[in-house]
Amino acid sequence: MKKRKLLIVDDEWLIADSLSSLEEWAERNIEVIGTASDGREALAWLDKTEVDLVITDIRMPDMDGLELLRQLHQRSPKIDVIVISGYEEFAYAKTALSYQAKGYILKPIDTDELFAVVDQLAPVSIEPVEEVPKTYHETIVERALSYISANLGRPLSLKDAADQVHLTSHYFGQVFKSVIGDTFVNHLTRMRMERACELLKNTELKQYEVGFQIGYTDPKYFSRVFFQSYGLTPKEYRQQLCSPSYPSEQKKRR
């Protein structure tokens, strides 16, 4: 498979050097061909070599990242560009997106967030294996689901899960929905309700105790959410399990 060529543009040499030395590039079949300290130097690179991906800072002397992005959009629209910035200003992000930037990442750079964007541009290719390898996003969501499953008994938020995988809440929410096909809140509720069914079926816990086990401190709210999910209250569900006709009723439902 042909390697993708990456150019890193940042006037802070320490950041450019740190980014260029990340081992994850090789894992993704990406070759860092060099670094540039401003937009003009970056364009000089483009005149002499093929580039597939550019990561550029916004604030740089001579020619800044937005002007570089504008010129790349005009002359080399097939080059993917990811913008990094120490400024969380909407105007910057809006301009970057208008020139088809593939991502806008704030400094200090979270490498997990960076590679999540990179992996959206091209699939991760580490080594040929018989089974299709998990994408970076699938791995992130798998880690989040393990965390959720182990912590269903306490209040959980999107931010809690996002912190566990080192992503911003907004970006993690997008990643989660793209992999699972549903929102974090809906999936969390579904996991809790499935655990509630297991507890109602296999334990002698009281209804409010079941609610506590899955993170609901208000028994009435737990009962309402359960009813919305299954059309039965927890009490009715347990009574149905004890009914002699339960197996046949379940067959009809399926």
Side-chain angles (χ1 to χ4, degrees), residues 130-147:
E130 292 183 5
E131 295 181 1
V132 177
K134 289 185 176 68
T135 67
Y136 185 72
H137 285 175
E138 289 171 338
T139 302
I140 285 174
V141 171
E142 187 175 87
R143 284 166 52 198
L145 290 176
S146 296
Y147 168 76

Side-chain angles (χ1 to χ4, degrees), residues 231-247:
L232 298 169
T233 65
K235 182 179 179 180
E236 291 170 340
Y237 180 83
R238 181 170 267 168
Q239 288 173 340
Q240 188 180 83
L241 291 175
C242 298
S243 169
S245 60
Y246 168 67

